[in-house]
């Protein structure tokens, strides 16, 4: 006799059982069609025999199972109790087929006893076979044998569960995960624990060795517990083993996410010695200077002229720009083209992205950030000028242009840029009243501009002592790097020139003792710095070649290959430096503008829902719950929706004046909640100011500025 479930016919029968029990295909057949289904046993032409439908063998009527394949005969559904007719297939009062009921539903004492084997003979043979490691018998005979008085062993057979996968199911579902099973030394019979703490049966020994080991461990009571070591229990535990191993693989795959989520924020960070070298109380000589203002106010021309006077633009390059500008009928754009280098910018005559240039003054190494003034490119201005330590607000002094920048009834870019610059945390500002030659260097016009704009700057919380007013003319080279030579200006103005005003600014404070933090402004491909390079301002900490950094929000680790500062290679960069850092060991697709380079042990927060404290600007359409906005945080921007308006705040005291208002109108302060469509790298303003400022835009204009007061939901 072949062992049940180990030969091919037995496996076919198990598959048939699982199919019948799981899908219940017999429910779709009526009584007339039942006879078309495969039968377990059929009547034969020979009296006293029954026909096996699996192997077609004729068996004696007294046998319960096929003598050839071992399949049990259907003995429960042959005679219908009501009609007395033969019924094959499924029992009417059970979801299991008749074959399944005959195999597993009957208890041992309900099965008829075979007349060909005696109990004493079977007991002796079973014990002998058990000692050899082989147990082959009918289920009811095996149960009878080990529970008989002639046997000194006791056995507990766990009842069969129909929801337990068959051996073929285990092999099929686990063949891909088999390589992940824990390796057990040969001869081990102990259970091991996986990462979830659940017990895994990893018995890899033959049956006889298992039985001998079990007998030795329980020699006092001579008890064999088949429910713990039988194949049925191994098969029952196998799906859990596979699930645990797949879970382990998932943990390995998402280890970078776990690293970013589980890293302790209470780690005591201590800067290394090389970070603190050549530092004077954390003060750096670099100054990031943003040049902002209304479109066509002369920002790019001012920057180009200043660079030319300081020797940062060669005569050859300047001659080339003048020639190309005259050929296109834009002779006055020669200095502007020193900053606007792209063909589209030169064709349209406007700055579209933030241009970066460098020059040295008496006191600072200045990074010049020429920002676009057109309202369509304010998001680019936000992304670039957020790095600023101080700002130059360029104003067109000509009649009509200044008024257009102030916006009249609406908000012009002069106002909007001033509000944004203050929201960036910039406290020092130089107001460059440009194109004074067009108003004959009129003192009255200068005073009028100073009065009108000064009131607005005070409303933006700029201190009067932190605002410098410089009348100048970039095209005429008046009051840029030297005092004015035109008597019309020098007769009433004896203050600083623009370059001296820049040197009069207070040096920004730098903190290299904090963990590394570098918001990514742009991702570039450069043959010099490497295949994947990121640009941005180093807010905190220090960086050197071969350092390990964590790239957020992807959570990938990377190694710093090279560092460029002011277009020059360097080995160390510190807080305040604008750098281009090439990375290796990371896919370029995992690095994006708006991301952050940070310390591997101190990742920044990745959030999808925020609580903001905002100041509503001069808007026409009120802000409602459900309003769609675009949120800008450092270099990141993401679509968002206002989910709650929690309270209105009194602008003088900052206390709550009203709870849950329906709308927000112009010049109101409030606390709101926003839900982001994606995720951004962010920190609460109290933790990190650089990552805690937020700007809300809608319909092409900035509608509110504010800070992050709480992270409500962290992203995955």
């Amino acid at each position: 006799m072949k062992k049940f479930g180990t030969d091919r016919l037995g496996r076919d029968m198990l598959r048939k059982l699982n199919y019948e029990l799981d899908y219940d295909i017999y429910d779709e057949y009526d009584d007339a069609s039942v006879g078309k289904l495969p039968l377990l046993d059929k009547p034969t032409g020979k009296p006293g025999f029954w026909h096996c439908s699996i192997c077609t063998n004729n068996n004696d009527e007294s046998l319960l199972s096929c003598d050839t394949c071992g399949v049990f005969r259907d003995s429960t559904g042959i005679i219908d109790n009501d009609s007395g007719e033969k019924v094959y297939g499924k029992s009417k009062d059970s979801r299991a087929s008749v074959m399944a009921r005959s195999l597993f539903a009957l208890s041992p004492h309900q099965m008829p006893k075979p007349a060909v084997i005696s109990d004493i003979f079977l007991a002796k043979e079973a014990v002998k076979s058990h000692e050899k490691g082989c147990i082959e018998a009918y289920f009811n005979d095996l149960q009878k044998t080990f529970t008989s008085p002639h046997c000194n062993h006791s056995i507990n057979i766990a009842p069969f569960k129909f929801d337990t996968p068959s051996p073929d199911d285990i092999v099929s579902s686990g063949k891909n995960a088999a390589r992940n099973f824990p390796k057990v030394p040969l001869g081990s019979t102990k259970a091991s624990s996986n990462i979830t703490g659940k017990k895994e049966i990893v018995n890899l020994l033959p049956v006889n060795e298992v039985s001998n080991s079990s007998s030795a461990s329980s020699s006092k009571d001579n008890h064999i517990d088949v429910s713990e070591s039988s194949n049925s229990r191994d098969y029952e535990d196998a799906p859990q083993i596979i699930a645990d191993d797949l879970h382990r693989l998932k943990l390995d795959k998402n280890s970078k996410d776990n690293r970013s989520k589980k890293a302790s924020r209470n780690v005591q960070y201590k800067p290394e010695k090389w970070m603190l070298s050549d530092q004077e109380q954390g003060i750096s000589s670099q100054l990031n200077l943003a040049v902002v203002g209304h479109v066509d106010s002369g920002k790019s021309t001012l920057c180009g002229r200043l660079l030319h006077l300081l020797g940062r633009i060669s005569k050859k390059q300047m001659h080339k720009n003048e020639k190309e500008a005259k050929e296109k009928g834009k002779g006055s754009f020669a200095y502007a083209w020193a900053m606007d280098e792209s063909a589209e910018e030169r064709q349209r005559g406007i700055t579209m992205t933030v241009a970066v240039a460098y020059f040295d003054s008496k006191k600072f190494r200045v990074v010049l950030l020429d920002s676009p003034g057109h309202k369509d490119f304010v998001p680019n201005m936000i992304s670039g000028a957020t790095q600023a330590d101080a700002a130059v607000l360029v104003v067109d002094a000509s009649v009509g242009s200044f008024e257009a920048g102030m916006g009249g009834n609406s908000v012009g870019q002069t106002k909007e840029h001033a509000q944004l610059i203050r929201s960036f945390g910039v406290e020092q500002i130089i107001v460059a009243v440009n194109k004074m030659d067009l108003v004959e260097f009129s003192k009255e016009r200068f005073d009028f501009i100073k009065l009108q704009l000064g009131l607005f700057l005070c409303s933006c919380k700029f201190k009067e002592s932190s605002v410098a007013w410089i009348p100048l003319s970039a095209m005429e080279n008046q009051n840029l790097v030297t005092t004015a030579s035109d008597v019309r200006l020098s007769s009433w103005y004896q203050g600083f020139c623009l370059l001296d005003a820049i040197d009069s600014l207070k040096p920004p404070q730098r903190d290299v003792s904090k963990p590394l933090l570098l918001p990514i402004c742009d991702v570039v491909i450069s043959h010099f710095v490497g295949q994947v390079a990121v640009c941005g301002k180093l807010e905190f900490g220090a960086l050197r070649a071969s350092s390990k950094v964590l790239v957020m929000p992807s959570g990938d680790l990377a190694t710093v290959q090279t560092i460029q500062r002011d277009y020059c290679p360097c080995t160390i960069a510190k807080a305040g430096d604008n750098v281009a850092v090439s990375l290796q060991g990371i896919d370029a697709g995992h690095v994006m503008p708006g991301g952050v380079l940070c310390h591997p042990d101190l990742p920044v927060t990745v959030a999808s829902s925020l609580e903001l404290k905002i100041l509503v600007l001069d808007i026409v359409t009120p802000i409602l719950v459900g309003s769609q906005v675009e949120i800008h945080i450092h270099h990141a921007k993401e679509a968002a929706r206002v989910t709650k308006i929690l309270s209105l705040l009194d602008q003088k005291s900052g206390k709550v004046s009203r709870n849950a208002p329906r709308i927000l109108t112009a010049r109101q302060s409030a606390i709101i909640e926003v839900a982001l469509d994606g995720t951004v790298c962010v920190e609460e303003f109290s933790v990190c100011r650089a990552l805690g400022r937020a700007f809300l835009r809608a319909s092409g204009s900035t509608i509110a500025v504010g800070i992050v007061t709480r992270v409500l939901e962290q992203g995955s």
Side-chain angles (χ1 to χ4, degrees):
M1 182 189 303
K2 298 182 179 180
K3 186 184 298 185
F4 175 76
T6 58
D7 59 301
R8 182 173 60 83
L9 293 176
R11 289 195 298 270
D12 291 341
M13 184 185 65
L14 282 174
R15 282 195 292 268
K16 180 177 178 60
L17 278 174
N18 289 332
Y19 183 79
E20 291 175 352
L21 293 174
D22 292 341
Y23 298 98
D24 203 7
I25 62 174
Y26 293 95
D27 289 345
E28 300 181 2
Y29 288 86
D30 53 17
D31 295 336
S33 61
V34 170
K36 300 178 182 180
L37 298 175
L39 303 181
L40 300 178
D41 58 275
K42 301 178 181 179
T44 63
K46 300 179 181 180
F49 290 90
W50 59 274
H51 184 72
C52 178
S53 62
I54 302 299
C55 65
T56 69
N57 182 52
N58 293 331
N59 299 281
D60 189 87
E61 192 70 31
S62 62
L63 295 178
L64 290 178
S65 62
C66 179
D67 193 32
T68 300
C69 65
V71 175
F72 279 84
R73 178 188 179 188
D74 182 4
S75 60
T76 62
I78 299 179
I79 303 299
D80 186 90
N81 294 332
D82 297 332
S83 62
E85 297 179 358
K86 287 191 176 182
V87 178
Y88 297 95
K90 180 184 174 184
S91 175
K92 295 181 179 179
D93 60 347
S94 173
R95 291 182 57 86
S97 66
V98 174
M99 178 171 64
R101 287 165 55 98
S102 66
L103 278 174
F104 305 110
L106 295 179
S107 59
H109 69 272
Q110 291 175 315
M111 288 188 176
K113 178 180 178 182
V116 295
I117 303 177
S118 66
D119 292 342
I120 299 177
F121 173 77
L122 198 61
K124 293 180 179 180
E125 291 298 324
V127 174
K128 184 185 302 182
S129 300
H130 179 68
E131 293 175 354
K132 294 180 180 180
C134 301
I135 303 177
E136 299 179 357
Y138 301 123
F139 284 167
N140 60 324
D141 296 334
L142 188 63
Q143 174 77 4
K144 189 68 175 178
T145 299
F146 281 89
T147 57
S148 65
H150 304 282
C151 182
N152 294 327
H153 298 271
S154 62
I155 184 168
N156 296 324
I157 299 180
F160 185 84
K161 297 181 180 180
F162 285 102
D163 57 351
T164 301
S166 68
D168 289 291
D169 292 333
I170 301 302
V171 174
S172 176
S173 62
K175 62 181 181 179
N176 294 328
R179 64 178 65 93
N180 300 317
F181 275 62
K183 296 182 179 181
V184 180
L186 186 63
S188 174
T189 59
K190 296 183 179 180
S192 63
S193 297
N194 60 5
I195 58 175
T196 61
K198 295 185 178 180
K199 198 173 183 180
E200 294 179 359
I201 303 300
V202 290
N203 191 353
L204 304 179
L205 296 179
V207 179
N208 60 339
E209 295 183 26
V210 174
S211 60
N212 292 337
S213 176
S214 302
S215 301
S217 62
S218 57
S219 57
K220 292 182 180 181
D221 53 0
N222 201 15
H223 178 76
I224 303 175
D225 191 359
V226 179
S227 63
E228 289 294 329
S229 60
S230 65
N231 289 336
S232 63
R233 281 303 299 269
D234 289 345
Y235 294 150
E236 184 177 349
D237 290 341
Q240 180 63 42
I241 298 173
I242 296 172
D244 292 340
D245 282 291
L246 292 177
H247 180 64
R248 186 186 299 112
L249 289 177
K250 184 178 180 181
L251 290 178
D252 294 339
K253 181 179 180 181
N254 297 329
S255 59
K256 56 189 178 185
D257 295 332
N258 294 335
R259 183 190 307 118
S260 63
K261 290 181 179 179
K262 296 181 179 179
S264 174
R265 293 190 172 274
N266 296 323
V267 175
Q268 295 296 328
Y269 173 78
K270 293 183 179 180
E272 300 179 33
K273 292 183 178 180
W274 62 269
M275 297 181 181
L276 303 175
S277 61
D278 298 330
Q279 288 292 321
E280 297 179 2
Q281 298 179 353
I283 299 177
S284 174
S285 60
Q286 178 163 309
L287 178 71
N288 297 299
L289 189 66
V291 181
V292 298
H294 190 63
V295 63
D296 292 334
S297 60
K299 298 184 297 298
S300 296
T301 300
L302 176 62
C303 292
R305 185 78 171 187
L306 188 62
L307 293 173
H308 178 255
L309 293 174
L310 294 174
R312 300 296 297 181
I313 300 177
S314 64
K315 293 182 178 180
K316 180 179 179 180
Q317 183 63 40
M318 195 64 223
H319 177 71
K320 180 181 177 182
N321 291 342
E322 290 176 350
K323 181 179 179 181
E324 292 179 354
K326 289 180 180 179
E327 289 176 353
K328 295 184 178 181
K330 299 180 179 180
S332 62
F333 283 77
Y335 290 106
W337 282 8
M339 304 298 294
D340 300 336
E341 297 181 348
S342 69
E344 187 176 3
E345 286 179 323
R346 293 186 174 187
Q347 183 179 1
R348 297 182 60 176
I350 58 175
T351 303
M352 300 171 64
T353 60
V354 176
V356 182
Y358 306 90
F359 69 88
D360 293 324
S361 68
K362 297 178 182 178
K363 189 176 179 181
F364 299 109
R365 184 175 69 252
V366 180
V367 179
L368 208 57
L369 304 171
D370 181 22
S371 306
H374 197 279
K375 64 179 182 179
D376 292 344
F377 305 107
V378 171
N380 295 343
M381 176 265 179
I382 294 175
S383 178
T386 187
Q387 309 172 52
D389 300 314
V392 176
L393 179 61
V394 182
V395 179
D396 190 343
S398 61
V399 178
S401 296
F402 169 73
E403 288 75 12
M406 295 299 291
N409 295 328
S410 61
V411 179
Q413 267 57 63
T414 299
K415 278 187 174 182
E416 185 175 7
H417 283 204
Q419 290 169 333
L420 291 173
I421 281 293
R422 185 65 186 93
S423 301
F424 294 155
V426 174
E427 297 179 351
Q428 302 180 90
I429 187 170
I430 299 172
V431 181
V433 184
N434 193 22
K435 300 185 182 182
M436 286 293 294
D437 57 307
L438 298 181
V439 294
E440 301 296 330
F441 295 99
S442 171
K443 183 178 184 300
E444 291 75 12
R445 182 63 176 174
F446 177 78
D447 291 339
F448 173 78
I449 293 173
K450 184 176 181 180
L451 177 62
Q452 295 292 322
L453 185 56
L455 292 174
F456 179 76
L457 293 179
C458 288
S459 68
C460 295
K461 307 300 182 183
F462 281 104
K463 295 180 180 179
E464 187 175 353
S465 59
S466 300
V467 180
W469 300 85
I470 311 293
L472 53 84
S473 174
M475 289 298 298
E476 298 295 330
N477 186 21
Q478 294 295 320
N479 214 27
L480 292 181
V481 296
T482 58
T483 57
S485 59
D486 195 310
V487 66
R488 292 175 295 178
L489 179 58
S490 61
S491 62
W492 57 269
Y493 180 77
Q494 290 82 31
F496 287 135
C497 65
L498 180 60
L499 188 61
D500 291 340
I502 293 174
D503 280 332
S504 67
L505 297 174
K506 296 179 181 179
Q509 295 293 323
R510 308 300 188 190
D511 195 347
V512 297
S513 62
K514 290 185 178 181
L516 170 69
L517 186 67
L518 192 156
I520 300 174
C521 178
D522 196 9
V523 179
V524 297
I525 298 176
S526 173
H527 297 290
F528 182 79
V529 299
Q531 186 175 2
V532 182
V534 299
C535 300
K537 175 189 173 184
L538 195 57
E539 295 288 348
F540 300 118
L543 196 63
R544 67 176 177 180
S546 73
S547 298
K548 293 288 185 180
V549 295
L550 183 65
V551 181
M552 297 297 289
S554 65
D556 292 323
L557 281 173
T559 304
V560 176
Q561 189 174 7
T562 59
I563 303 174
Q564 272 191 333
R565 181 179 58 212
D566 304 347
Y567 299 125
C568 299
C570 62
T571 57
I572 297 177
K574 298 180 180 179
D577 293 341
N578 282 76
V579 294
V581 181
S582 66
L583 304 174
Q584 63 180 3
I586 188 172
D587 188 354
H590 295 168
V591 187
M592 63 195 73
V596 175
L597 297 187
C598 54
H599 192 280
D601 296 331
L602 297 167
V604 299
T605 304
V606 180
S608 60
S609 182
L610 302 171
E611 181 185 271
L612 306 177
K613 179 181 178 181
I614 64 170
L615 170 65
V616 182
L617 304 182
D618 295 323
I619 60 175
V620 177
T621 304
I623 300 175
L624 307 171
V625 174
S627 297
Q628 298 292 330
V629 297
E630 185 179 61
I631 186 170
H632 293 252
I633 299 177
H634 56 93
H635 305 295
K637 60 180 179 180
E638 190 68 42
R641 179 174 57 88
V642 178
T643 57
K644 288 183 181 180
I645 302 178
L646 299 178
S647 59
L648 279 178
L649 302 177
D650 183 83
Q651 293 192 19
K652 294 182 178 180
S653 63
K655 297 180 180 180
V656 176
S657 61
R658 182 181 174 186
N659 290 319
R662 295 181 59 187
I663 62 173
L664 296 178
T665 57
R667 313 307 299 178
Q668 287 185 331
S669 295
I671 296 178
I672 66 172
E673 292 182 4
V674 294
L676 282 62
D677 290 354
T679 57
V680 295
C681 296
V682 66
E683 292 287 358
E684 295 179 4
F685 184 76
S686 59
V687 176
C688 177
R689 295 192 173 190
L691 300 185
R693 295 185 175 95
F695 311 91
L696 301 182
R697 288 179 56 82
S699 303
S701 62
T702 305
I703 62 174
V705 296
I707 60 175
V708 179
T709 55
R710 191 156 57 100
V711 175
L712 300 177
E713 182 177 349
Q714 296 190 13
S716 58

